[in-house]
Amino acid sequence: MEYIKRHIRDVQDFPSKGVLFKDLTTAFKDARALHVIGWDLSQLYRDKGVTKVVGIESRGFIGGSILAFELGAGFVPARKPGKLPADTISMSYAKEYGTDTIEMHRDAITEDDIVVLHDDVLATGGTMAAAYALVKSMNPKKIYVNFIIELASLNGRAALPPEAEVTSLIVY
Ligand code: AMP
């Protein structure tokens, strides 16, 4: 864990003034840190029978793919509007300024699936709350929620439903 932490770069005032951005590209580019992230994430879900990992565009695609591979599960992208080619379902959510929307393929999840929803960072939780609602609407057996980094001071967990089982590798 300490090894991963040492490879996370703090960028002040990105993407806007006052935000301390947790940059994981410096961890992903280090072979050992990338390996440890994949291994540590997978250890959280090893015995849970996970069948699909849903990664949120775009930084959630990296850890989500590694996690899916490690677990022997499938990978499903949750994307920005207009990117997925087939029939989609979508969910909109409030951002600091205006709203945003995420989409998934309508046939991405079945009622037999056990799902891990993954993103790199939990900040205010708005993005994950929308993704959670979207996956829930497809009625899988179980949904787990996972982050590499959780920014506890922003209290993103409060945006998620109380029944959501949230696990983060690193909490700041
Ligand atoms: P949220 O506020 O939880 O909806 O976060 C939206 C997205 O922005 C997440 O998917 C994160 O990848 C990213 N994000 C928000 N705040 C930060 C931050 N301080 N450092 C790194 N990524 C962030």
Side-chain angles (χ1 to χ4, degrees):
M1 205 68 74
E2 281 310 309
Y3 189 82
I4 303 172
K5 275 186 168 174
R6 269 192 274 131
H7 285 80
I8 295 167
R9 171 164 59 190
D10 286 352
V11 183
Q12 188 64 58
D13 297 327
F14 182 88
S16 53
K17 200 149 182 56
V19 176
L20 180 64
F21 192 85
K22 294 288 180 187
D23 178 19
L24 275 159
T25 64
T26 39
F28 292 147
K29 78 173 179 183
D30 182 272
R32 187 173 155 212
L34 184 66
H35 182 82
V36 173
I37 288 169
W39 179 257
D40 285 359
L41 286 179
S42 67
Q43 288 309 100
L44 300 171
Y45 302 102
R46 227 11 123 187
D47 56 348
K48 310 255 191 245
V50 175
T51 55
K52 302 253 173 69
V53 177
V54 176
I56 299 180
E57 186 166 0
S58 57
R59 288 179 290 265
F61 290 175
I62 301 162
S65 302
I66 300 169
L67 177 57
F69 183 81
E70 285 282 348
L71 293 175
F75 177 80
V76 171
R79 297 209 62 179
K80 289 167 183 153
K83 302 283 187 186
L84 290 167
D87 192 18
T88 59
I89 53 173
S90 65
M91 189 68 64
S92 295
Y93 58 101
K95 300 262 284 182
E96 195 178 353
Y97 303 104
T99 62
D100 222 332
T101 303
I102 54 167
E103 289 185 349
M104 291 174 67
H105 275 140
R106 190 178 291 280
D107 60 2
I109 303 290
T110 73
E111 296 189 355
D112 293 326
D113 278 321
I114 297 175
V115 176
V116 177
L117 250 168
H118 170 87
D119 204 355
D120 64 336
V121 176
L122 173 60
T124 65
T127 311
M128 185 54 87
Y132 190 95
L134 210 47
V135 171
K136 184 128 176 107
S137 75
M138 291 185 263
N139 220 11
K141 272 192 197 149
K142 177 90 188 165
I143 309 171
Y144 297 99
V145 178
N146 171 260
F147 302 91
I148 301 173
I149 294 173
E150 176 173 347
L151 303 173
S153 60
L154 297 176
N155 199 21
R157 283 186 187 233
L160 297 168
E163 74 272 13
E165 290 185 36
V166 183
T167 311
S168 312
L169 267 192
I170 298 165
V171 179
Y172 288 101

